[in-house]
Structure formats: structure tokens, C-alpha cells
Amino acid sequence: MASKERLYELWMLYFTKKDPHYLQQWLEAFVTSFERLIDISSFEPLQRRPEEMTAEIPLLPDNVLQVLSQQLSQCVKRLSTEEAETGLGQALLLIKFLIIICRNFENIEAKITPTFILEVIQLLSVCISELKNETRRLLPDTAKVEQLTAYAVHLCECLFDPYQIWRRQLGGEIISSMERSKYKFTPAVLPQEFNTFFHESFQSSQTLPKTIQLRLMYLYGAIISGSKKSALVAITPTSVQALMTVLRASGEVGSQERRQSGPLHVALKCLISMIHILHASSLDQRQVDIKAILEGYFKLLNADRPVALLEEPTQSSLDDGFISLRINMLSAISDMLNCKDRPALQAIFLNNNCFEHIIRLIQNSKLYVGNASQDGGKGGPDLATQLLTEINLSKVFEKETGSVTVHAIRVLTAIMKNSPSAKEVFKERIGYPHLYEVLKSQGEPTTRLLQELMNMAVEDESTCDRTVISNEQPLLMLAQWLPELASRERQILVSAWLKKVCGSSLRARMTGVKAGMLPAALASLGRHPQLDRKCGENLVDLLQSLGSLSIQPAELRQLVKLLRVEEEEGAAHPYTARVVRALSAMADSDGSDSALQYFDLTPSMAGIMVPTIHKWPGNSFAFHTWLCLNQEQDDLYLLKHRPKRKQLYSFFTASGTGFEAFFTADGMLVVAVCTKREYMTVAVPDFTFSDSTWHCVDIVHIAGRRPFGQNVVNIYADGYLRKTAQLRFPSLNESFIYCCIGSAGHRTTTTVVTSPSPTAEVPFAQHPSFGRSLSFPAAHARDPVLLPAIVNTISAGSQDTDWGSPTSLQGQLGSVFVFHDALQPIHVKALFTGGPNNLLPFKPDSELSDLSSKLLLYYSPKACRNHICLDLSSNHSYDGRLTGHNTINWDIKDVISCVGGMGAFLPLLEQVASNSEELQENQETTDLVGPELTSSQNVQSMVLPLGRSSESKLERNSVSAFLLLIKNFIQHHPMNQESLIQCNGPAIIGALLQKVPRQRLDMNVLMACQFLLEQAASEGNNLLLHYLHQYLLFDFRIWSHSDFAVRLGHIQYLSTITKDHKQRTRKKYGVQYLLDSIRTHYGAQKDRLVTAEVKTVQLSIFNLLKDFISKTVSAEELHSIVSYMAAVNDEDQLCGILDVLLSLLKGGQSRDQLYALLFDPGYVEVFYSLILQKKYSDEVREKVFRLMYKMLKYEKINERSKLRLKLKDIGYMGLTSYLNDFPASVSLIRCLSEQVLCSDPVPNYKDLVAVVYLSHRAELTVRLDVCRKASETTNSSQPVPKYGV
């Protein structure tokens, strides 16, 4: 490499002798020394900036550029002569030299066009002309011409984009305007001659090498990116035409690699930058209008496909340049719209009929390949005829990764993004039904297409993170398309996404209801045979989510009608159980925590404008409402932009004084008062409102009474005092002319004063209102309510700087009340308790009746029409004007009365009972009720866990889900309770439950029944509770065929009800009912083989009967018991009732009463008849003898009443004569002997001998025992000993 001394020596020789030979040597030595800095083999940007290369590249001597420019001009002239070869080499040397010196931009004079640039453009024109000339008579060596052209283009790129902004942008680097301002060197000024050269270069450019075309595209991009001044010079109609030529030619390229890195990609980037530069420029600076560019762009986008391409053999769409051109052009439109002033550019696109062009492109995006289309014979039909008439044509769509339709939908999303006007234009000009028909005509959609429609709804590709519905129409389209999808996986994908997005938040549910998602989902469910089961369940879940907010009568009628099945079908509807659960969930909310009617103040300009209040009637200010703030979806927005304050209300006078309240971005409530000089605020930081739930807000300003009274503000949230503070009260003598509710409203006209402010430049998130007031003792700091909040004071008029600019509430607002007098805590509590749906809060008999006279204005969403909010206060003086929407929701509990009342649901029970669902395993029931209920031990000490299971677990059983549905619909709704009674609902439900299979009648059904009864009891509807007891709980026909654990649990629940309502249940059902139930449902007649489980259930009912008569027993009840004993003919049941009597005689409260009744005529005969019946065992006889023994030993009954019991009329001889055929067991002989011995104080030997005679057939031990007892009795002078039992 030549040294700097050698270069200097050569230059001095040329400078002194003016010999061109020395100049040539100097050029060659210079280029040889620094040629390593030139690299044209790659399009990657250099790693070094021009400032870093100034020390390496020397400064040129004076006037050298003029000399080189002359030499370069001579080289250009030689190219047209026979010395072309020599001129070509010399030109290459000069171009390399110029590239090197441009690395040090101090060699180039700023703000003027370099002297050699015109010669370079002439050189390029000659080279391009030679490259396009196929004969190449002057310069046959094409490689050298291409090399020279490449170096010359690279030189221009270095001049007009020294910092290689264009290449860095293509690499993905974002270059800010701040970084550009730090650049030291200014790009060279572009001459006008370049436009002519650029236009001529792409005329008839078919023979121009693609590499040269690509370098020219890079050069043009560098020019428009290097400086705005050069860009405005280069952007001309001819340059636009040249770019369109490149795009048109790229449509014929089939190579995937060339499409990615070829001129197509760079030309589109140039067009994008061109649009952005023109959009940021004024009209007088433009040489071409954006509209003209878009017209040519869309014309090329919708250009017809060349017939020659259609006649070629079939090839993949990914390898087709025509398809690739449209895909890349569509993708470029989205990049065009990514600019600072996006709404203005969107308007320009709309004026160019962009929607019509894109829809036309979608319609033409189908490729047809037919068997006959490949013949191409002269005698065959033309292509158009084939497309219209061939039956065997197969429709071939683009693959997912390159579908024109997918990219077209993405462009539609980009044009309409964050633009309500663009959405309205699309509705009017195109319409979503037409878009749906166009997409549907293309056949089965791809997953990518469906995802793009989802992205259109949320206007974001990351659909998993964003849940704000920005465009609801694609949701309706997707719901309508579901039955048409042949792929079950796509059905599940779309339905799950609809379910997730529409139910993600309260705002999303509101949007879905308003858009009509319920009818759309119902229409798709109406074609359930075409839907996958999981897809149908997702749609039902969607109905549940939206219906919980609002469902209209026609929609509920359609839903119920959907489940109707024809009689000849027999089977239940497949979604009946799911719909029952959904209806139950819809009605589960009692409506007290959400408003059914509200003002939707989400748009930034929404709100209610209140007329001028000329004279304030009272001496205080109070505000009450219910509200729900939307959750912020993107917190980064608040970090990058100025904060906003969401206005709740503002009442200002002409001088700027008045009341104001607003919410910060994080949901903190701030109450403000503005005077002529100060703006004072009180914040409530410990209670957040931005949780998408409804909250009750009450703000009360109380003016102090002179001379020592203090002005106080009380802030309530959800009925509780959250903050109190001493806050100045503005003057009420002026008229309030700027009054807004939920609106940004009017800006205050108060001027900013220059007096010192207590708080200067306080950060937004660190207002001093969170601290403790120094004017109150520290002891009060323990209670946040007793501690008044510190008042933050700033200069009036600076509130926009400190708290952010005002905007709408960005949420939903319920009924609004403004009072001219103070509200007391009892009033606030009553307003909160009444809920957001209380339309008549000031009833004469209510706690709020005295507030009607203090009401200044009252706005209700239900009293709003044509954007006029009627003032419902007594004066009717302040009708407001609404900017936004008022929404009226329908509660399903109210809507059911429009479709037939509660009776409309009753047929669903028959369907869910007969539905063939998977039966629950026995282990689940065992786990639910515990192992003790599956055995017959310890029945008295068992406690059934009826309240342990949640309703969601109970709904696994569709029968129990139906009972919960009834329970939820009658909850806090007297009209539905009356409707259920009028349609004989309990009786019908009971009759249908009798048909339920045993496996379905599990513990879940019993618990659901308990919840239903408890709800009826809590409502205080005794008639409904009576019917539910009669037809559900006390109807043993329902529960007798269920599992053992369920039957046992049913008896336990009966016992609980009996204890709580003993008199009512005993009077209605009583002893006879229980005994008949045992005999009918749990006796030998019901089950031929009485199992241990049945015996356990019988024992449980007998215990229940025992509880009935444990305190008191009537003659009628005892008669029923004795008659039951005489007629039951079942030893187990007889033993059970005898045990009940023996237990009561032993220690019950009704013991004396029972003893007295047992001696009534006829009962003793029944007891003796039971002894004489052979079908009973000795156990029965022993218990009967024990019963009679207790009666004989009872001392409160006179002896005369016991004569019949002692058989004084016939004696025991007659009894024993009937016992001769009975086995003489130990139990029988012992009980009979004790009966005889205790009958009289003095033994009756005649009766004793009868017993001895009866025992002669017994065993020796029995006879020995009887003889010993007879001997002791005759020889003893003591009273007859008692025989313990």
C-alpha cells in the first residue's frame, strides 16, 4: 500500500507540472490504499459512522473534484466511441475514488449538489442503456458494465444517505428523529436530473439485470430516507410509475428467494416510506398526491391475472409470483398505516374506495384448476367457459401461510383500527353480511383466516392478551359461520374464543349483548346436528355469560324452543342439561350488585350536559350514583402519555368556581373544589373503583354555619364513609353555567395566578393527599375515617397539568341524583341498600321519602330518548343532553313471565331425567355421605352433611341442576313464586321426579331439594313452602326407590324439618301418614325380601314417629298406631312400633298421657291377639308382654281399668288354652308367669296352675324354673316379687 508521502509526492508533481500521467498515478495509488473500505457485495449497513472515518480518509486538495468531474465527463463521452473500453476502466477508477472520499463527508460541500454528481448520473444513464440493449455493440463486456453501474449506484447511495438510514431501517432498526438531529453531516442535495434517469431506467426494463434493478431500488430508498428535502424532490409521478413498473414485473417471478430479497420487497418499502413522507408534508411541498399513488396501487392490486399464467401447468400457490405480489402489497398497506397521524391517513384510504378494492380482490383470489383446463386445445372451450360450466373443476385455495384472503382481512383490520368512522363507512359501503357471503363462497376457511377475523374483532394479533372488543361485527360473523365449518377442530377453536372474549369482562359482555351475540349463538345452536358437542357446550357457556347480563323475551323464547323435541323422537335434546345449568347461572345473581339500566360513557366525548342552574335552591351539595369503571388494558399508555382524569361531575360558574369529582387512571376517586385562586382536592386512595364492578358513590359537601362552622366534605363508597375532610365551599350566589356529568365538559376559565403554591410540581402518583393531616392529633390516625384527609391545594387553572386533562368517565353510570341539601348517613345507607335498580327510591313509606323535596335533578337511563335525559325531580327543570348511549338490560327473572312463566321450564325436567348421561360411580356417593351411611349401625347418631357441597358440585347431576334452577328463579322474586304456584309447579315436579331412574336420584338431588325448600322458607312464602313439602319432601314415592344413603338422608332431613316445624308438619302429615308410608314404601309389600337397608330405613322413620309423639300424643294418633300393629302383618315393622311405645313409656314427656290412652277399650284385645298369632316370633310376644307388664305396674291408673288387662272375665286358663299349639319356649313361659304373678297382690293359684300346665311340654330347665317360682310364691308371705325387664 502506498504511503501518505508517496500520495503527496504524486499530487505535487501533478500540481506543478499539470501532467495527467501523474494524476493517473495518484488516483491509482489512492484507490489502492483505501479500496478495502468499499464493499458492494452486501446490502448490510456499515458498522462505522461517517464521524468515525474522518481521521482515516484524508481531506482532498482544492479544486480536485472539479478536475475529476471533467475527467469523468470525458469518460462518459468515450463510452459512446470506439474508446469505450478505455473509458470504462477509467470511469470505474474515478467512481471508486469518489466513493472513498465520500467516506469522509468533509470532502463534500454541504447544502449544494456535488460537482461530479451530474456526470455520475450521465454515466449511469449510459450504462443502464447499454445493459438494456441486447445487441451491446459498444460495450460487449456486460460484466464490466454491471460492475461500473453497481459502483456508481453505491456512490450515489453514499452521497444521499451517508448514515445508511435506509439499510438500517430495512434491517429492522428504528431511527428516531432525536437521533437524526445528532448527525453531524447533511446528505447531498439531489439534482432534478435524477428523476429523469430513474424513470428511464425502468422503461422497458425486462432485460435489465435484477441485481441492478435491486440496487436502483436501494438507491431510491436511500434518497427518500436520507433527507426530507431530497425525498420531496425524488417523489414524483414518474418515480411512482417506475415503482409500479417494478411491482408489476415482480408478479411474473416465481422464485421464492427473489420475492423475499428482490426488487419487490424493496419497492414496497419505498412506497411505504413515500406515503409516510408525503403524509407528513404540506400540500404545497408535494409533487404527487397520496390519492394518486393509492389509485395506482389499488389498480395494480386488482389487475387481472395473465391468461398465460392460468394456462401453465398447475403449481403451488406459494411458488406463484402473481399471488406473492398481492400478498406483499397487502402486507405493505398495514405498514403504510403505521404513522403518527393515522386517522388522517385512514381517511385518505377511505376516500380511495379501499374497501371496495379489497373486497374485489378477495372475490378474485380463487384459483381454479380443472381437468379440462389443461388441454388448451384449439377446439376446446375458452377458460371463462370452463370456469362457468365444467362440473369436474376443483377449487384450489391458497395455503394458510400465503393466503390472499387472510392478508386482505388483515388490511381491513388495519384500515378500521381505532376508527369508528371507518367502521361505519365499511358497514354502509360493504356491509358485514356481504363480506360473510364473499368469504363463505370460497369454501372451507383456513384456521389462519378465522384467526384474522378474531383479530379484526379485538384489533390486535395477540388475541390471548387483549380482551377489549373493538369491532363486534366479526364476532357475529364467526358465530354465524360455525355450523358451516366442516372441521370440528375449527368449530371448537372459534367457539372457545368467542366464549373467552365475550365473557372476559363486564365491558366485553355489554358489547356482546348490544351487538346481538345472543341471537347469533342461538341461531347456530339451532343447527346443533352440524356442531361438535364441545362447540355446542361453548356456545351454551357463551349464552350463560351474556344472558347473566341481559336476555330479551324473544331470545329466551328461542332458547326454550330450541330444546323442544318431537314426540316421535323420544330422546332428549343433547344440550338440555347444559342449558338448564346455564339458565340457573343466569338467574343465580339476585341483581343487587349490577345495574340493569345505565349510561354507557365509554367514548372519550361521552357524557351528560346539564342546563344552566341559575339559582342554587339550598345551601349544600350532594351527589349520588352507581358506576362501573372500565379496567385499563394497557398501562404503558399512561407511562408514555399525559395522565387523564375521568370526570364524574363538574359544576362550574362563569368565573371558574364550583364542584368537581374525577377518577385517576388507577381508579382513585378525587373530589375537588375550585375557587377563583385555588384548586383543592381530597383523594380516596384506599378504595379502588377500577375493578369492573358496580359501586355506589355518594359525595356530600356541607357548608359550615357561621360564625364558627366548618365546611366539610364526606365521601361515601358502597354505603360506608371512606373519607372526610375540611374543604372550602364555593359561593352559591353565581349561576352554574358549565354543568356536566360523566363528561370532559368545558374547561375552566380561571386564569393561573402566580402566588406561591403549597405544592409545586408534585408527581402525579405521589400527591400529598395520602399523608396525615398535621392539624389533627396523632391519636386520630388509628381510624382512617375519623382522620380527615389532607387537602391538596394547587393554583386554579393548573389542574390539567397536575392531574391530567379531563376525559369522559370511561365506564357505565347508573341513575344520577343531585341534591341541594346534605345527605345524612342513614340516607346514604338506604340508597346503597336499595341497589342500582331501584326505580322508585322516594316512596311515601320509605326512609328516603323526605329527600324528594331536596332533589335538584334526577336522571334515569330508562327516561332517556333521542339523547334527551328527562329530569325526574319534582321541578322538571333540568333536562340533560346525552352524548353516548343509554342501555336497558333485561333480567331473566323478569323475562320468564313473558314466555309463559315458570311453567315453561317444567318440561325440561322430563328431558334431563331421561337423558342418557354417564352415571356417577358408587364411590362418589360414599365419599359424599361418609361410610357410616352405607351401613345399618349407629343410625341414631348419624348426621348427614347436607350443607357441605356447593351448588356447582350439585349441578353435575342434571336433575339437581333443574331444582337449583327453580330455586334461583324464585330467589327474591315474588312474581316467579306466584307463577310457580299457579302452574301447579310443585305437583308437576314431584310427579316427574317419580319417573327419575334410581341411579339419577342421588344425594345431589336431595341436597338441591333442601336448597329449594330453604329458599322458599327464606322468602316467607308459606303456600309455596307447603306445596314443596307436600309434593317433594314428604312424597315417599320419589325417594323410596333411591339408593340406601339417599333414603336415609331423606329421613334425616324430614326429621330436621319436623323439629323446626313440628306443629305444622304433624298436623298435615302426622303419625298415620308416616305409618302408611312405611307400610306402602318400605314394607314387605314393597320389597318381598326385606333387607337390612330397608330395616334401617324403617327404624329411621320409627324414630321420626317417636319424635312426633315424644311430647304429646292424641287418642287419634295412638289409635292409628294400635291399628297399624293389628294390620301390619310384618314382624319387623311390628317390632319397630313396639320399641317406640316401650321407649316412650320408659321416659318420654308424653309417658303419662300414653299410659292413660293405652287403657282405652279395644287396645288390650289387640295386644292379646298379637300374642296369639303364630306367625310372629317369641320376640314379638316378649315385647307385647313387656308392654302389658308396664301397664300393669303403672300406679296412676285405677285397678278397675286394669281388669280387662288381667283377664278377670275369663282368666288366664283361656289364654293358655290358645297357647297349647305354640312351642313352650323359655321366653313365653317366663313372660306368661310374670304376667300372672303381677296381676294380683295375692297369687291366683288357678292362673298359676294354668301356666304350670302349659309348661309341661317345655324343656326340663323351663319346667324346673316354673316349679321353683310357684313353690316360692306359695311358701312366701311377702308380696309377689317383680320380674325385671
Side-chain angles (χ1 to χ4, degrees), residues 555-567:
E555 296 166 349
L556 181 59
R557 179 179 178 273
Q558 186 179 358
L559 178 58
V560 176
K561 186 178 179 180
L562 176 68
L563 304 178
R564 182 184 300 172
V565 293
E566 301 296 335
E567 295 183 0

Side-chain angles (χ1 to χ4, degrees), residues 6 8 122 240 517 524 597 621 762 781 1015 1120 1141 1144 1223:
R6 177 59 178 167
Y8 180 75
Q122 293 177 5
V240 173
M517 278 299 297
S524 296
Q597 53 274 337
F621 176 90
V762 180
Q1015 185 62 46
S1120 298
L1141 292 177
L1144 293 174

Side-chain angles (χ1 to χ4, degrees), residues 519-624:
L522 287 170
S524 296
L525 277 175
R527 303 168 63 181
H528 66 88
Q530 304 176 25
L531 298 177
D532 184 83
R533 180 63 181 266
K534 182 62 178 178
C535 174
E537 292 176 354
N538 288 335
L539 289 179
V540 174
D541 292 340
L542 173 62
L543 293 177
Q544 173 185 329
S545 178
L546 300 180
S548 300
L549 181 64
S550 176
I551 184 170
Q552 296 187 9
E555 296 166 349
L556 181 59
R557 179 179 178 273
Q558 186 179 358
L559 178 58
V560 176
K561 186 178 179 180
L562 176 68
L563 304 178
R564 182 184 300 172
V565 293
E566 301 296 335
E567 295 183 0
E568 57 270 13
E569 295 181 5
H573 195 280
Y575 299 127
T576 302
R578 198 81 176 187
V579 171
V580 166
R581 299 185 185 98
L583 291 171
S584 178
M586 293 180 196
D588 192 15
S589 176
D590 57 4
S592 61
D593 56 348
S594 61
L596 293 177
Q597 53 274 337
Y598 51 85
F599 300 104
D600 187 5
L601 306 181
T602 300
S604 59
M605 301 303 296
I608 303 175
M609 307 301 296
V610 182
T612 300
I613 303 174
H614 294 285
K615 183 178 180 181
W616 195 266
N619 57 0
S620 298
F621 176 90
F623 182 88
H624 164 77

Side-chain angles (χ1 to χ4, degrees), residues 987-1036:
I988 297 175
I989 294 174
L992 293 176
L993 286 178
Q994 297 175 27
K995 301 179 181 180
V996 175
R998 174 179 179 178
Q999 296 83 352
R1000 305 289 300 283
L1001 205 64
D1002 56 9
M1003 290 298 299
N1004 294 325
V1005 178
L1006 179 59
M1007 294 180 186
C1009 182
Q1010 175 189 353
F1011 289 152
L1012 175 59
L1013 291 170
E1014 289 176 352
Q1015 185 62 46
S1018 65
E1019 299 292 338
N1021 194 326
N1022 294 328
L1023 181 59
L1024 178 60
L1025 182 62
H1026 163 70
Y1027 285 139
L1028 292 176
H1029 280 165
Q1030 178 178 353
Y1031 295 109
L1032 267 67
L1033 185 60
F1034 284 91
D1035 193 343
F1036 286 88

Side-chain angles (χ1 to χ4, degrees), residues 1125-1146:
M1125 294 168 61
V1128 67
N1129 293 325
D1130 184 6
E1131 182 172 339
D1132 295 323
Q1133 299 182 49
L1134 182 57
C1135 290
I1137 196 64
L1138 285 172
D1139 289 337
V1140 171
L1141 292 177
L1142 291 173
S1143 177
L1144 293 174
L1145 292 177
K1146 187 176 181 180

Side-chain angles (χ1 to χ4, degrees), residues 93-110:
L93 179 64
L94 292 173
I95 293 298
K96 288 182 179 181
F97 175 81
L98 293 174
I99 292 174
I100 295 171
I101 66 171
C102 287
R103 297 299 189 203
N104 186 349
F105 227 71
E106 292 180 357
N107 291 317
I108 307 299
E109 296 185 33

